[in-house]
């Protein structure tokens, strides 16, 4: 049986930490596509943020089902709450891409 120090050392296994970085990338790309979709569709105010919430939840469900096989606490240190958390960077990226595409597509409306 593993001691407490060995069990704690297994929680921070470098290959797993690198694999979790790809999850961050997937969530980032999802927020970029959601922002582009909101801008192209011309969503304004709360509808755009609702699309961001829906896309974040959809991405989290996909990662939970496909990558984590329904057990996110086994693969991600924060568990399901960390998986659903969009992060401040992703929220700002969504707003940036949303306003960019809205400005490009709807410049003459």
């Amino acid at each position: 049986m593993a001691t407490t120090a060995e069990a704690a050392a297994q929680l921070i296994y470098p290959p797993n930490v690198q694999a979790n970085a790809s999850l961050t990338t997937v969530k980032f790309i999802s927020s970029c596509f959601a922002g582009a979709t909101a801008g192209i569709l011309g969503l304004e105010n709360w509808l755009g943020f609702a699309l961001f919430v829906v896309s974040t939840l959809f991405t989290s469900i996909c990662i939970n089902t496909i990558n984590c096989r329904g057990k996110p606490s086994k693969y991600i240190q924060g568990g399901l709450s960390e998986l659903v958390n969009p992060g401040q960077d992703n929220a700002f990226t969504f707003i940036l891409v949303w306003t960019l595409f809205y400005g490009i597509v709807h410049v003459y409306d």
Side-chain angles (χ1 to χ4, degrees):
M1 179 145 188
T3 64
T4 310
E6 291 176 9
Q10 289 178 349
L11 291 177
I12 305 174
Y13 185 62
N16 291 346
V17 172
Q18 290 175 348
N20 286 346
S22 67
L23 295 178
T24 305
T25 304
V26 168
K27 290 168 63 173
F28 174 77
I29 292 172
S30 172
S31 67
C32 287
F33 281 127
T37 302
I40 290 170
L41 292 177
L43 299 179
E44 296 176 349
N45 297 329
W46 295 108
L47 288 176
F49 289 110
L51 179 68
F52 176 65
V53 169
V54 168
S55 71
T56 301
L57 290 175
F58 179 72
T59 303
S60 298
I61 289 170
C62 288
I63 291 172
N64 184 21
T65 305
I66 297 169
N67 291 10
C68 297
R69 296 179 181 94
K71 299 175 185 175
S73 59
K74 182 177 179 181
Y75 299 101
I76 300 171
Q77 189 172 3
L80 186 61
S81 63
E82 183 66 30
L83 188 60
V84 175
N85 183 9
Q88 185 176 2
D89 295 338
N90 292 341
F92 288 145
T93 300
F94 170 79
I95 293 172
L96 177 71
V97 175
W98 180 18
T99 55
L100 173 72
F101 275 84
Y102 188 87
I104 291 172
V105 173
H106 301 283
V107 69
Y108 294 115
D109 285 348

